[in-house]
Amino acid sequence: MKVALIGRGRVATHLIEAVRQAGHEVVSVNSRTLEELPERADIYVIAVKDSALQDVVCQATKGRDDQLFVHTAGSMALGVFEGCCRHYGVLYPMQTFSKEQPVDFREIPLFVEATDAETLIKIRSFAESLSAHVYELSTADRRYLHLAAVFACNFVNHCYALAADVLAQKGLPFDVLLPLIDETARKVHQLHPIDAQTGPAIRDDQNVIRSQSALLQGTPQAIYDLLSKSIHEHAIEQNNDQLRLTEDTCHRV
């Protein structure tokens, strides 16, 4: 396929390489100015920040309303193309990208959506050439997927930053936590996160919780207290669910 890419950020940088490795021809790579955007391509992939997407869509589709366009944004609706072109969809790679850090695009889940069945077939075929993990997902459900990704990635990374601040107060380097971080990530490949949870909060060890909370101030303390409460409540809810399941099983027997 002849692929025109719009965007020069982190997603676009990795997409270019993945598209080429899949055997497609990258016919152009444009910034948001669209100065050299070709009149024809098999697919136009718009990979720009959310705040710029609507404006770029309006510009890129002018005179190309019969062409196929997709955007790569997790939180933006399919309808952003409505009224601008006839064939459009979404190609959302659920991954965090850094320009310096290579990724194996074949392992990245791609979530696709389209206006109609024929367009979806084309987009899905393109997606499957890039990744071994392709799923169809509506705009409404993709909002929840993106929300889950924010919890699993952005919020977790912020916790790393808070941990780094705590260590820095005592002159300790962040990399002392890396073996712990790596093992925690490895565990959830085999265990559900609820089953992998450890620490004072799940045990409701109030002596440790109060002592640790007292070491913090302001927003970090509020985050610590709220997360500890959430962990414990989640554990209670899980135990209650298991108890109800056991009781239902006993009643059936």
Side-chain angles (χ1 to χ4, degrees):
M1 295 178 72
K2 296 181 182 298
V3 182
L5 266 156
I6 302 169
R8 294 184 181 274
R10 290 172 292 182
V11 175
T13 298
H14 289 282
L15 260 175
I16 292 167
E17 184 62 26
V19 166
R20 286 173 173 155
Q21 286 185 2
H24 303 294
E25 179 185 356
V26 178
V27 294
S28 73
V29 180
N30 283 261
S31 65
R32 287 162 49 189
T33 58
L34 306 176
E35 293 173 349
E36 299 178 0
L37 189 65
E39 291 299 317
R40 293 290 180 267
D42 293 314
I43 187 168
Y44 292 78
V45 182
I46 303 177
V48 298
K49 62 183 181 180
D50 292 1
S51 60
L53 182 58
Q54 184 69 75
D55 185 52
V56 171
V57 165
C58 292
Q59 293 183 55
T61 55
K62 285 181 180 178
R64 305 177 183 85
D65 61 334
D66 61 336
Q67 299 293 288
L68 173 57
F69 286 84
V70 296
H71 75 65
T72 62
S75 60
M76 297 298 286
L78 175 68
V80 73
F81 289 105
E82 192 171 344
C84 297
C85 58
R86 293 196 296 270
H87 312 294
Y88 53 87
V90 176
L91 178 76
Y92 169 49
M94 195 183 65
Q95 181 57 280
T96 178
F97 294 100
S98 303
K99 285 190 175 182
E100 315 78 26
Q101 184 69 26
V103 297
D104 182 358
F105 221 92
R106 293 293 302 168
E107 294 302 315
I108 295 175
L110 294 182
F111 295 86
V112 299
E113 184 183 9
T115 48
D116 55 77
E118 184 178 350
T119 304
L120 182 61
I121 289 171
K122 293 178 182 178
I123 295 173
R124 185 176 182 107
S125 176
F126 176 63
E128 288 174 345
S129 72
L130 306 179
S131 170
H133 309 280
V134 177
Y135 308 89
E136 296 175 20
L137 198 66
S138 68
T139 288
D141 288 343
R142 183 161 34 85
R143 291 172 58 212
Y144 288 92
L145 175 70
H146 190 258
L147 173 61
V150 167
F151 272 100
C153 176
N154 307 128
F155 289 175
V156 169
N157 191 75
H158 182 61
C159 287
Y160 294 160
L162 295 179
D165 290 344
V166 170
L167 291 173
Q169 292 174 20
K170 298 302 175 182
L172 294 168
F174 178 72
D175 59 14
V176 300
L177 293 179
L178 293 179
L180 175 65
I181 290 170
D182 292 343
E183 179 58 23
T184 302
R186 275 193 293 267
K187 279 201 297 186
V188 295
H189 282 263
Q190 281 79 42
L191 298 173
H192 190 283
I194 291 176
D195 297 324
Q197 187 70 56
T198 60
I202 198 169
R203 301 190 301 269
D204 196 28
D205 190 336
Q206 288 298 320
N207 288 332
V208 173
I209 291 171
R210 284 193 291 266
S211 175
Q212 291 185 339
S213 179
L215 297 175
L216 301 166
Q217 298 179 31
T219 300
Q221 184 181 55
I223 292 173
Y224 178 93
D225 292 344
L226 185 61
L227 284 176
S228 294
K229 183 173 183 288
S230 180
I231 289 169
H232 183 58
E233 289 177 349
H234 215 156
I236 292 174
E237 182 180 332
Q238 177 69 5
N239 288 337
N240 289 340
D241 287 345
Q242 290 175 346
L243 180 60
R244 283 193 293 269
L245 181 62
T246 300
E247 289 175 347
D248 289 346
T249 302
C250 290
H251 289 156
R252 284 197 298 271
V253 172

